[in-house]
Amino acid sequence: EDLGVRHRLWVYSGRRGVHCWVCDDAVRKWSPALRAAAVEYLSLVKGQGLELRVGVWRSPAPTPAPLHSPNPADYKKTSLAPYVRIFEQFVEGMESARRGERIRRSAQHREVLQAEFPKKKDSVQRWELLRARLERTRAGGRAAALGPCYADWEVMLQFCFPRLDINVSKGLGHLLKSPFSVHPKTGRVSVPLDLQRLEQFDPFAVPTISSLCQELDTASSDGEHEESGETEPKRRAR
């Protein structure tokens, strides 16, 4: 939407990802440089493993400024809001919340949080402690003198924001999997997604090449039984 894209087809990859086919005529004529710039704009989580970072705020500026918005309030409203509910659904099972590893980004709050974390019985309470403390610092008071900290926003984005494959998006000659093709490792069919019913989508219920072959064999055998009583055999195309 930020880039003016209107015609999009969302397709399940057959494994762990989702493909967004952009069909706007203008976008199809973009150069590799324009395509790379678009993916860069949409990429917030970068790096791998322990070096994984959320590139939302410029560093080492004393007052972090969001890259994609004139102020943090607008950024939170547009980019973060959809992930708050998603994040809260699985925070109970987060090992990082139990160990408190992710608070290393907020140095001025680390000692206080590490002292309070053992007093909380589960990850939900620890997450609420971290979130409430950082919200207070952003609201004002003496703690705000150290500068606003957005570590809670970064944690949610790091765990929930999509990772984009820049090479697939910027390369005009990159090999692409068409919708309804079969994933070579899982055998699942790449089916289009209905965004209005996305939460009901079950990737493990997607048809596989094995199930399709079994259905075809069943249909073929049923046809043979029906024609066994006829005097003249019919030509059948498989």
Side-chain angles (χ1 to χ4, degrees), residues 93-133:
M94 286 181 56
E95 288 295 326
S96 59
R98 280 196 287 270
R99 297 192 300 265
E101 293 178 354
R102 299 298 173 184
I103 62 175
R104 64 179 182 272
R105 295 290 303 273
S106 54
Q108 67 267 37
H109 306 285
R110 184 184 300 124
E111 292 184 4
V112 176
L113 290 173
Q114 286 181 338
E116 293 293 329
F117 268 23
K119 303 176 183 179
K120 305 300 180 180
K121 66 177 183 178
D122 54 34
S123 295
V124 176
Q125 292 186 359
R126 295 184 179 98
W127 170 249
E128 287 299 323
L129 173 68
L130 183 148
R131 187 182 58 81
R133 178 176 180 82

mmCIF file of all heavy atoms in Angstrom, residues 93-133:
data_model
loop_
_atom_site.group_PDB
_atom_site.id
_atom_site.type_symbol
_atom_site.label_atom_id
_atom_site.label_comp_id
_atom_site.label_asym_id
_atom_site.label_seq_id
_atom_site.Cartn_x
_atom_site.Cartn_y
_atom_site.Cartn_z
ATOM 1 N N GLY A 93 5.103 -19.190 25.501
ATOM 2 C CA GLY A 93 6.105 -20.210 25.221
ATOM 3 C C GLY A 93 7.461 -19.665 24.832
ATOM 4 O O GLY A 93 8.319 -20.426 24.401
ATOM 5 N N MET A 94 7.669 -18.385 24.991
ATOM 6 C CA MET A 94 8.924 -17.791 24.557
ATOM 7 C C MET A 94 10.033 -18.007 25.572
ATOM 8 O O MET A 94 9.986 -17.501 26.685
ATOM 9 C CB MET A 94 8.748 -16.294 24.302
ATOM 10 C CG MET A 94 8.004 -15.977 23.034
ATOM 11 S SD MET A 94 7.884 -14.203 22.806
ATOM 12 C CE MET A 94 9.604 -13.730 22.852
ATOM 13 N N GLU A 95 11.040 -18.768 25.178
ATOM 14 C CA GLU A 95 12.187 -18.984 26.053
ATOM 15 C C GLU A 95 12.929 -17.677 26.305
ATOM 16 O O GLU A 95 13.456 -17.446 27.383
ATOM 17 C CB GLU A 95 13.136 -19.996 25.417
ATOM 18 C CG GLU A 95 12.606 -21.417 25.417
ATOM 19 C CD GLU A 95 12.463 -21.978 26.816
ATOM 20 O OE1 GLU A 95 13.281 -21.628 27.682
ATOM 21 O OE2 GLU A 95 11.530 -22.745 27.053
ATOM 22 N N SER A 96 12.993 -16.815 25.284
ATOM 23 C CA SER A 96 13.730 -15.567 25.448
ATOM 24 C C SER A 96 13.095 -14.687 26.510
ATOM 25 O O SER A 96 13.784 -13.960 27.216
ATOM 26 C CB SER A 96 13.786 -14.812 24.118
ATOM 27 O OG SER A 96 12.477 -14.535 23.651
ATOM 28 N N ALA A 97 11.775 -14.742 26.643
ATOM 29 C CA ALA A 97 11.117 -13.936 27.672
ATOM 30 C C ALA A 97 11.431 -14.492 29.057
ATOM 31 O O ALA A 97 11.576 -13.739 30.015
ATOM 32 C CB ALA A 97 9.604 -13.919 27.435
ATOM 33 N N ARG A 98 11.561 -15.819 29.155
ATOM 34 C CA ARG A 98 11.874 -16.413 30.452
ATOM 35 C C ARG A 98 13.302 -16.066 30.884
ATOM 36 O O ARG A 98 13.571 -15.799 32.039
ATOM 37 C CB ARG A 98 11.694 -17.929 30.393
ATOM 38 C CG ARG A 98 10.243 -18.365 30.507
ATOM 39 C CD ARG A 98 10.170 -19.836 30.842
ATOM 40 N NE ARG A 98 10.523 -20.651 29.697
ATOM 41 C CZ ARG A 98 9.651 -21.079 28.801
ATOM 42 N NH1 ARG A 98 8.390 -20.742 28.901
ATOM 43 N NH2 ARG A 98 10.023 -21.844 27.793
ATOM 44 N N ARG A 99 14.221 -16.102 29.927
ATOM 45 C CA ARG A 99 15.612 -15.847 30.279
ATOM 46 C C ARG A 99 15.957 -14.362 30.266
ATOM 47 O O ARG A 99 16.979 -13.967 30.796
ATOM 48 C CB ARG A 99 16.533 -16.580 29.294
ATOM 49 C CG ARG A 99 16.394 -18.092 29.338
ATOM 50 C CD ARG A 99 17.525 -18.741 28.570
ATOM 51 N NE ARG A 99 17.550 -18.336 27.182
ATOM 52 C CZ ARG A 99 16.980 -19.012 26.201
ATOM 53 N NH1 ARG A 99 16.304 -20.113 26.481
ATOM 54 N NH2 ARG A 99 17.070 -18.613 24.957
ATOM 55 N N GLY A 100 15.116 -13.565 29.632
ATOM 56 C CA GLY A 100 15.370 -12.133 29.585
ATOM 57 C C GLY A 100 16.506 -11.744 28.664
ATOM 58 O O GLY A 100 17.151 -10.721 28.854
ATOM 59 N N GLU A 101 16.769 -12.559 27.611
ATOM 60 C CA GLU A 101 17.889 -12.266 26.735
ATOM 61 C C GLU A 101 17.673 -11.005 25.914
ATOM 62 O O GLU A 101 18.608 -10.276 25.616
ATOM 63 C CB GLU A 101 18.131 -13.447 25.788
ATOM 64 C CG GLU A 101 18.618 -14.691 26.493
ATOM 65 C CD GLU A 101 18.795 -15.839 25.532
ATOM 66 O OE1 GLU A 101 18.421 -15.672 24.353
ATOM 67 O OE2 GLU A 101 19.289 -16.883 25.945
ATOM 68 N N ARG A 102 16.440 -10.745 25.555
ATOM 69 C CA ARG A 102 16.197 -9.654 24.617
ATOM 70 C C ARG A 102 16.273 -8.279 25.257
ATOM 71 O O ARG A 102 16.149 -7.290 24.550
ATOM 72 C CB ARG A 102 14.815 -9.838 23.968
ATOM 73 C CG ARG A 102 14.683 -11.127 23.181
ATOM 74 C CD ARG A 102 15.661 -11.182 22.019
ATOM 75 N NE ARG A 102 15.646 -12.473 21.374
ATOM 76 C CZ ARG A 102 16.457 -12.833 20.387
ATOM 77 N NH1 ARG A 102 17.349 -11.980 19.961
ATOM 78 N NH2 ARG A 102 16.398 -14.029 19.860
ATOM 79 N N ILE A 103 16.461 -8.194 26.553
ATOM 80 C CA ILE A 103 16.538 -6.867 27.163
ATOM 81 C C ILE A 103 17.941 -6.292 27.051
ATOM 82 O O ILE A 103 18.210 -5.213 27.542
ATOM 83 C CB ILE A 103 16.120 -6.904 28.650
ATOM 84 C CG1 ILE A 103 17.066 -7.791 29.449
ATOM 85 C CG2 ILE A 103 14.690 -7.357 28.794
ATOM 86 C CD1 ILE A 103 16.781 -7.780 30.939
ATOM 87 N N ARG A 104 18.839 -6.999 26.363
ATOM 88 C CA ARG A 104 20.187 -6.461 26.206
ATOM 89 C C ARG A 104 20.189 -5.193 25.365
ATOM 90 O O ARG A 104 21.115 -4.397 25.436
ATOM 91 C CB ARG A 104 21.101 -7.500 25.563
ATOM 92 C CG ARG A 104 20.703 -7.892 24.138
ATOM 93 C CD ARG A 104 21.696 -8.902 23.585
ATOM 94 N NE ARG A 104 21.392 -9.258 22.217
ATOM 95 C CZ ARG A 104 20.590 -10.227 21.864
ATOM 96 N NH1 ARG A 104 19.994 -10.952 22.814
ATOM 97 N NH2 ARG A 104 20.346 -10.500 20.598
ATOM 98 N N ARG A 105 19.131 -4.990 24.555
ATOM 99 C CA ARG A 105 19.063 -3.790 23.740
ATOM 100 C C ARG A 105 18.799 -2.555 24.589
ATOM 101 O O ARG A 105 19.077 -1.445 24.175
ATOM 102 C CB ARG A 105 17.961 -3.938 22.685
ATOM 103 C CG ARG A 105 18.201 -5.020 21.648
ATOM 104 C CD ARG A 105 19.331 -4.660 20.706
ATOM 105 N NE ARG A 105 19.134 -3.403 20.023
ATOM 106 C CZ ARG A 105 18.479 -3.262 18.878
ATOM 107 N NH1 ARG A 105 17.932 -4.316 18.304
ATOM 108 N NH2 ARG A 105 18.375 -2.079 18.310
ATOM 109 N N SER A 106 18.186 -2.720 25.755
ATOM 110 C CA SER A 106 17.840 -1.578 26.604
ATOM 111 C C SER A 106 18.782 -1.548 27.798
ATOM 112 O O SER A 106 18.448 -1.996 28.883
ATOM 113 C CB SER A 106 16.389 -1.678 27.067
ATOM 114 O OG SER A 106 16.153 -2.923 27.682
ATOM 115 N N ALA A 107 19.977 -1.007 27.608
ATOM 116 C CA ALA A 107 21.024 -1.059 28.634
ATOM 117 C C ALA A 107 20.611 -0.339 29.904
ATOM 118 O O ALA A 107 20.895 -0.797 31.013
ATOM 119 C CB ALA A 107 22.309 -0.449 28.072
ATOM 120 N N GLN A 108 19.892 0.801 29.765
ATOM 121 C CA GLN A 108 19.558 1.579 30.958
ATOM 122 C C GLN A 108 18.497 0.900 31.811
ATOM 123 O O GLN A 108 18.300 1.265 32.960
ATOM 124 C CB GLN A 108 19.084 2.988 30.568
ATOM 125 C CG GLN A 108 17.764 3.041 29.821
ATOM 126 C CD GLN A 108 17.975 3.033 28.323
ATOM 127 O OE1 GLN A 108 18.872 2.357 27.834
ATOM 128 N NE2 GLN A 108 17.174 3.789 27.598
ATOM 129 N N HIS A 109 17.818 -0.116 31.285
ATOM 130 C CA HIS A 109 16.776 -0.805 32.038
ATOM 131 C C HIS A 109 17.172 -2.231 32.405
ATOM 132 O O HIS A 109 16.425 -2.914 33.098
ATOM 133 C CB HIS A 109 15.477 -0.851 31.230
ATOM 134 C CG HIS A 109 15.002 0.492 30.763
ATOM 135 N ND1 HIS A 109 14.414 1.413 31.602
ATOM 136 C CD2 HIS A 109 15.047 1.077 29.542
ATOM 137 C CE1 HIS A 109 14.112 2.502 30.918
ATOM 138 N NE2 HIS A 109 14.485 2.330 29.669
ATOM 139 N N ARG A 110 18.331 -2.679 31.952
ATOM 140 C CA ARG A 110 18.689 -4.098 32.080
ATOM 141 C C ARG A 110 18.768 -4.546 33.534
ATOM 142 O O ARG A 110 18.185 -5.568 33.913
ATOM 143 C CB ARG A 110 20.009 -4.366 31.368
ATOM 144 C CG ARG A 110 20.400 -5.852 31.376
ATOM 145 C CD ARG A 110 21.759 -6.065 30.745
ATOM 146 N NE ARG A 110 21.781 -5.629 29.370
ATOM 147 C CZ ARG A 110 22.647 -4.732 28.882
ATOM 148 N NH1 ARG A 110 23.532 -4.188 29.683
ATOM 149 N NH2 ARG A 110 22.606 -4.400 27.611
ATOM 150 N N GLU A 111 19.481 -3.805 34.360
ATOM 151 C CA GLU A 111 19.687 -4.234 35.746
ATOM 152 C C GLU A 111 18.375 -4.298 36.507
ATOM 153 O O GLU A 111 18.129 -5.250 37.269
ATOM 154 C CB GLU A 111 20.660 -3.277 36.438
ATOM 155 C CG GLU A 111 22.078 -3.339 35.900
ATOM 156 C CD GLU A 111 23.014 -2.445 36.677
ATOM 157 O OE1 GLU A 111 22.555 -1.840 37.677
ATOM 158 O OE2 GLU A 111 24.195 -2.357 36.311
ATOM 159 N N VAL A 112 17.515 -3.308 36.319
ATOM 160 C CA VAL A 112 16.229 -3.306 37.020
ATOM 161 C C VAL A 112 15.368 -4.485 36.580
ATOM 162 O O VAL A 112 14.779 -5.191 37.411
ATOM 163 C CB VAL A 112 15.488 -1.979 36.763
ATOM 164 C CG1 VAL A 112 14.106 -2.007 37.418
ATOM 165 C CG2 VAL A 112 16.301 -0.808 37.282
ATOM 166 N N LEU A 113 15.330 -4.735 35.289
ATOM 167 C CA LEU A 113 14.488 -5.818 34.781
ATOM 168 C C LEU A 113 15.033 -7.186 35.204
ATOM 169 O O LEU A 113 14.264 -8.078 35.565
ATOM 170 C CB LEU A 113 14.407 -5.732 33.257
ATOM 171 C CG LEU A 113 13.607 -4.546 32.711
ATOM 172 C CD1 LEU A 113 13.745 -4.470 31.195
ATOM 173 C CD2 LEU A 113 12.135 -4.659 33.091
ATOM 174 N N GLN A 114 16.331 -7.367 35.155
ATOM 175 C CA GLN A 114 16.909 -8.650 35.553
ATOM 176 C C GLN A 114 16.681 -8.929 37.038
ATOM 177 O O GLN A 114 16.577 -10.085 37.445
ATOM 178 C CB GLN A 114 18.402 -8.665 35.222
ATOM 179 C CG GLN A 114 18.689 -8.806 33.745
ATOM 180 C CD GLN A 114 20.168 -8.834 33.435
ATOM 181 O OE1 GLN A 114 20.985 -8.354 34.221
ATOM 182 N NE2 GLN A 114 20.526 -9.391 32.291
ATOM 183 N N ALA A 115 16.594 -7.882 37.842
ATOM 184 C CA ALA A 115 16.316 -8.067 39.265
ATOM 185 C C ALA A 115 14.854 -8.420 39.509
ATOM 186 O O ALA A 115 14.530 -9.165 40.443
ATOM 187 C CB ALA A 115 16.686 -6.798 40.036
ATOM 188 N N GLU A 116 13.964 -7.911 38.654
ATOM 189 C CA GLU A 116 12.538 -8.138 38.841
ATOM 190 C C GLU A 116 12.049 -9.420 38.166
ATOM 191 O O GLU A 116 11.066 -10.015 38.601
ATOM 192 C CB GLU A 116 11.748 -6.943 38.292
ATOM 193 C CG GLU A 116 11.948 -5.656 39.078
ATOM 194 C CD GLU A 116 11.359 -5.739 40.481
ATOM 195 O OE1 GLU A 116 10.354 -6.451 40.650
ATOM 196 O OE2 GLU A 116 11.922 -5.104 41.401
ATOM 197 N N PHE A 117 12.708 -9.853 37.114
ATOM 198 C CA PHE A 117 12.248 -11.022 36.362
ATOM 199 C C PHE A 117 12.084 -12.277 37.219
ATOM 200 O O PHE A 117 11.098 -13.000 37.092
ATOM 201 C CB PHE A 117 13.204 -11.297 35.191
ATOM 202 C CG PHE A 117 12.792 -10.624 33.919
ATOM 203 C CD1 PHE A 117 11.981 -9.496 33.943
ATOM 204 C CD2 PHE A 117 13.211 -11.100 32.683
ATOM 205 C CE1 PHE A 117 11.595 -8.863 32.784
ATOM 206 C CE2 PHE A 117 12.825 -10.473 31.511
ATOM 207 C CZ PHE A 117 12.023 -9.357 31.559
ATOM 208 N N PRO A 118 13.053 -12.610 38.111
ATOM 209 C CA PRO A 118 12.894 -13.835 38.911
ATOM 210 C C PRO A 118 11.674 -13.821 39.825
ATOM 211 O O PRO A 118 11.216 -14.883 40.260
ATOM 212 C CB PRO A 118 14.193 -13.886 39.726
ATOM 213 C CG PRO A 118 15.170 -13.087 38.936
ATOM 214 C CD PRO A 118 14.371 -11.984 38.322
ATOM 215 N N LYS A 119 11.139 -12.641 40.112
ATOM 216 C CA LYS A 119 9.973 -12.554 40.988
ATOM 217 C C LYS A 119 8.676 -12.873 40.261
ATOM 218 O O LYS A 119 7.643 -13.066 40.906
ATOM 219 C CB LYS A 119 9.884 -11.148 41.589
ATOM 220 C CG LYS A 119 11.121 -10.722 42.369
ATOM 221 C CD LYS A 119 11.003 -9.295 42.862
ATOM 222 C CE LYS A 119 12.268 -8.829 43.571
ATOM 223 N NZ LYS A 119 12.167 -7.420 44.024
ATOM 224 N N LYS A 120 8.732 -12.928 38.939
ATOM 225 C CA LYS A 120 7.541 -13.215 38.152
ATOM 226 C C LYS A 120 7.473 -14.709 37.848
ATOM 227 O O LYS A 120 8.487 -15.352 37.612
ATOM 228 C CB LYS A 120 7.539 -12.410 36.860
ATOM 229 C CG LYS A 120 7.695 -10.899 37.070
ATOM 230 C CD LYS A 120 6.562 -10.334 37.913
ATOM 231 C CE LYS A 120 6.719 -8.839 38.132
ATOM 232 N NZ LYS A 120 5.622 -8.281 38.957
ATOM 233 N N LYS A 121 6.257 -15.244 37.836
ATOM 234 C CA LYS A 121 6.112 -16.705 37.730
ATOM 235 C C LYS A 121 6.160 -17.221 36.300
ATOM 236 O O LYS A 121 6.426 -18.405 36.085
ATOM 237 C CB LYS A 121 4.805 -17.147 38.391
ATOM 238 C CG LYS A 121 3.545 -16.653 37.688
ATOM 239 C CD LYS A 121 2.293 -17.197 38.353
ATOM 240 C CE LYS A 121 1.020 -16.772 37.624
ATOM 241 N NZ LYS A 121 -0.193 -17.335 38.241
ATOM 242 N N ASP A 122 5.873 -16.388 35.294
ATOM 243 C CA ASP A 122 5.869 -16.892 33.916
ATOM 244 C C ASP A 122 6.259 -15.779 32.947
ATOM 245 O O ASP A 122 6.480 -14.626 33.321
ATOM 246 C CB ASP A 122 4.493 -17.455 33.540
ATOM 247 C CG ASP A 122 3.365 -16.461 33.775
ATOM 248 O OD1 ASP A 122 3.596 -15.244 33.603
ATOM 249 O OD2 ASP A 122 2.252 -16.885 34.125
ATOM 250 N N SER A 123 6.337 -16.158 31.661
ATOM 251 C CA SER A 123 6.769 -15.228 30.633
ATOM 252 C C SER A 123 5.769 -14.110 30.407
ATOM 253 O O SER A 123 6.156 -12.997 30.032
ATOM 254 C CB SER A 123 6.991 -15.980 29.316
ATOM 255 O OG SER A 123 8.057 -16.886 29.444
ATOM 256 N N VAL A 124 4.486 -14.384 30.609
ATOM 257 C CA VAL A 124 3.472 -13.356 30.413
ATOM 258 C C VAL A 124 3.688 -12.204 31.389
ATOM 259 O O VAL A 124 3.653 -11.026 31.011
ATOM 260 C CB VAL A 124 2.058 -13.950 30.574
ATOM 261 C CG1 VAL A 124 0.998 -12.854 30.473
ATOM 262 C CG2 VAL A 124 1.808 -15.029 29.536
ATOM 263 N N GLN A 125 3.929 -12.531 32.658
ATOM 264 C CA GLN A 125 4.153 -11.488 33.650
ATOM 265 C C GLN A 125 5.448 -10.734 33.387
ATOM 266 O O GLN A 125 5.524 -9.520 33.584
ATOM 267 C CB GLN A 125 4.168 -12.102 35.049
ATOM 268 C CG GLN A 125 2.822 -12.635 35.513
ATOM 269 C CD GLN A 125 2.859 -13.109 36.943
ATOM 270 O OE1 GLN A 125 3.892 -13.059 37.612
ATOM 271 N NE2 GLN A 125 1.715 -13.579 37.438
ATOM 272 N N ARG A 126 6.481 -11.441 32.920
ATOM 273 C CA ARG A 126 7.746 -10.779 32.626
ATOM 274 C C ARG A 126 7.601 -9.840 31.433
ATOM 275 O O ARG A 126 8.175 -8.747 31.414
ATOM 276 C CB ARG A 126 8.833 -11.820 32.370
ATOM 277 C CG ARG A 126 9.164 -12.666 33.592
ATOM 278 C CD ARG A 126 10.318 -13.620 33.319
ATOM 279 N NE ARG A 126 10.631 -14.399 34.512
ATOM 280 C CZ ARG A 126 10.204 -15.631 34.744
ATOM 281 N NH1 ARG A 126 9.439 -16.231 33.841
ATOM 282 N NH2 ARG A 126 10.526 -16.270 35.854
ATOM 283 N N TRP A 127 6.859 -10.287 30.456
ATOM 284 C CA TRP A 127 6.634 -9.430 29.294
ATOM 285 C C TRP A 127 5.845 -8.184 29.687
ATOM 286 O O TRP A 127 6.159 -7.082 29.226
ATOM 287 C CB TRP A 127 5.909 -10.201 28.210
ATOM 288 C CG TRP A 127 5.429 -9.329 27.089
ATOM 289 C CD1 TRP A 127 4.152 -9.012 26.763
ATOM 290 C CD2 TRP A 127 6.255 -8.642 26.142
ATOM 291 N NE1 TRP A 127 4.115 -8.174 25.691
ATOM 292 C CE2 TRP A 127 5.383 -7.933 25.283
ATOM 293 C CE3 TRP A 127 7.631 -8.554 25.947
ATOM 294 C CZ2 TRP A 127 5.865 -7.145 24.238
ATOM 295 C CZ3 TRP A 127 8.109 -7.771 24.904
ATOM 296 C CH2 TRP A 127 7.231 -7.076 24.068
ATOM 297 N N GLU A 128 4.842 -8.339 30.522
ATOM 298 C CA GLU A 128 4.064 -7.185 30.961
ATOM 299 C C GLU A 128 4.933 -6.216 31.763
ATOM 300 O O GLU A 128 4.780 -4.996 31.671
ATOM 301 C CB GLU A 128 2.875 -7.650 31.809
ATOM 302 C CG GLU A 128 1.768 -8.310 31.003
ATOM 303 C CD GLU A 128 1.176 -7.367 29.978
ATOM 304 O OE1 GLU A 128 1.046 -6.154 30.283
ATOM 305 O OE2 GLU A 128 0.851 -7.808 28.866
ATOM 306 N N LEU A 129 5.868 -6.759 32.554
ATOM 307 C CA LEU A 129 6.780 -5.915 33.312
ATOM 308 C C LEU A 129 7.649 -5.081 32.382
ATOM 309 O O LEU A 129 7.782 -3.862 32.558
ATOM 310 C CB LEU A 129 7.666 -6.783 34.226
ATOM 311 C CG LEU A 129 8.800 -6.053 34.965
ATOM 312 C CD1 LEU A 129 8.227 -5.099 36.000
ATOM 313 C CD2 LEU A 129 9.736 -7.068 35.610
ATOM 314 N N LEU A 130 8.241 -5.738 31.397
ATOM 315 C CA LEU A 130 9.096 -5.033 30.444
ATOM 316 C C LEU A 130 8.303 -3.990 29.664
ATOM 317 O O LEU A 130 8.731 -2.835 29.527
ATOM 318 C CB LEU A 130 9.738 -6.043 29.491
ATOM 319 C CG LEU A 130 10.731 -5.508 28.461
ATOM 320 C CD1 LEU A 130 11.800 -6.558 28.173
ATOM 321 C CD2 LEU A 130 10.046 -5.127 27.157
ATOM 322 N N ARG A 131 7.154 -4.379 29.146
ATOM 323 C CA ARG A 131 6.349 -3.470 28.321
ATOM 324 C C ARG A 131 5.878 -2.251 29.118
ATOM 325 O O ARG A 131 5.966 -1.113 28.640
ATOM 326 C CB ARG A 131 5.141 -4.222 27.763
ATOM 327 C CG ARG A 131 4.314 -3.428 26.766
ATOM 328 C CD ARG A 131 3.119 -4.236 26.323
ATOM 329 N NE ARG A 131 2.287 -4.609 27.457
ATOM 330 C CZ ARG A 131 1.398 -3.785 28.016
ATOM 331 N NH1 ARG A 131 1.231 -2.561 27.543
ATOM 332 N NH2 ARG A 131 0.662 -4.185 29.039
ATOM 333 N N ALA A 132 5.405 -2.482 30.360
ATOM 334 C CA ALA A 132 4.906 -1.373 31.172
ATOM 335 C C ALA A 132 6.022 -0.398 31.523
ATOM 336 O O ALA A 132 5.822 0.821 31.504
ATOM 337 C CB ALA A 132 4.251 -1.917 32.443
ATOM 338 N N ARG A 133 7.206 -0.919 31.838
ATOM 339 C CA ARG A 133 8.303 -0.033 32.211
ATOM 340 C C ARG A 133 8.718 0.850 31.038
ATOM 341 O O ARG A 133 8.936 2.059 31.192
ATOM 342 C CB ARG A 133 9.495 -0.859 32.703
ATOM 343 C CG ARG A 133 10.692 0.011 33.071
ATOM 344 C CD ARG A 133 11.833 -0.788 33.655
ATOM 345 N NE ARG A 133 12.958 0.077 33.983
ATOM 346 C CZ ARG A 133 13.062 0.799 35.092
ATOM 347 N NH1 ARG A 133 12.108 0.742 36.006
ATOM 348 N NH2 ARG A 133 14.115 1.568 35.304
#
